[in-house]
Amino acid sequence: MLLAINVGNTSIGIGIFDGKKLLKSWRIASDKGKTADEYGLLISQLLQQSGFETAQIGGIAISCVVPPILTQLKEMSLRWFHLEPVVVSAELEIGMPILYDNPKQLGTDRIANAVAGYAEYGGPLIIVDFGTATNFDVVSGEGAFLGGAIAPGVGISIEALSERTALLPKIDISAPLQAIGKDTTSSMQSGCYFGFLGQMEEIIRRIKRELPGEPRVIATGGFANLIARNSGLVELVDPDLTLKGLQIIFERDKKNRSIYHSV
């Protein structure tokens, strides 16, 4: 079985695969203060609570945009699972050309999303990932990563609004019934929700004008269902897209290593 770990700035997605089938997934908070043993213990407990054993894990794939956590997870893989993890990077042979001016600057979660998106849905494709930042990733009809856009994420935007203003409370975002709020909370919910929805749709429209063909649009990430469900521009939501990308990249890397060692 494969243990797939996607580390974002706010949360960590964890999935266990049997072949291509995602059996179970979890989400925990990102914590740069946790040690390798603390992550190992936590993940082992999650596995055991769902009926799995650490000995069943035959491979580990990691996507990480937080370097201190990556260091701990690499150590955890060796200490707790006795495995060298496959760490996603632009240097891996992922089976997708990356047409980014500096591929080393590209977030590894965006690479995993692009790989899974093209494998599952073909191209051209626009992927909207609602994470700590909202990423827009664009894949050509031929399966090349073209680039995209990065906007402030939903969660950090709401936090900044309440932290930087004396009289505005922190709110939980939800889809309001109307745009005209009747109190401070409903006014903030209207401005935030419809603002994020409008931002997403405008960026999608502009990308479509620059992209040949008629791209499909899919969404993933924590706020995808909430924001994307009210947009006629988003075709579907795939909450496990990044984890699926890790599984695909792991298998491709294993195949490439096998070919290399057989030559």
Side-chain angles (χ1 to χ4, degrees), residues 75-126:
E75 182 180 341
M76 178 210 72
S77 300
L78 295 170
R79 288 167 62 98
W80 285 75
F81 297 91
H82 310 293
L83 294 168
E84 183 76 39
V86 171
V87 179
V88 177
S89 72
E91 285 77 27
L92 281 183
E93 292 291 336
I94 60 171
M96 171 175 283
I98 297 178
L99 307 183
Y100 213 58
D101 287 346
N102 187 349
K104 291 182 180 180
Q105 294 180 343
L106 185 60
T108 54
D109 53 339
R110 300 179 68 189
I111 295 174
N113 282 341
V115 167
Y118 187 74
E120 293 258 329
Y121 308 107
L125 184 68
I126 302 171

Side-chain angles (χ1 to χ4, degrees), residues 198-217:
Q199 177 195 71
M200 179 193 72
E201 293 189 329
E202 178 62 16
I203 292 174
I204 289 172
R205 290 190 188 98
R206 288 179 177 272
I207 290 173
K208 281 188 169 185
R209 290 202 290 266
E210 299 174 17
L211 190 63
E214 185 56 37
R216 302 181 74 177
V217 181

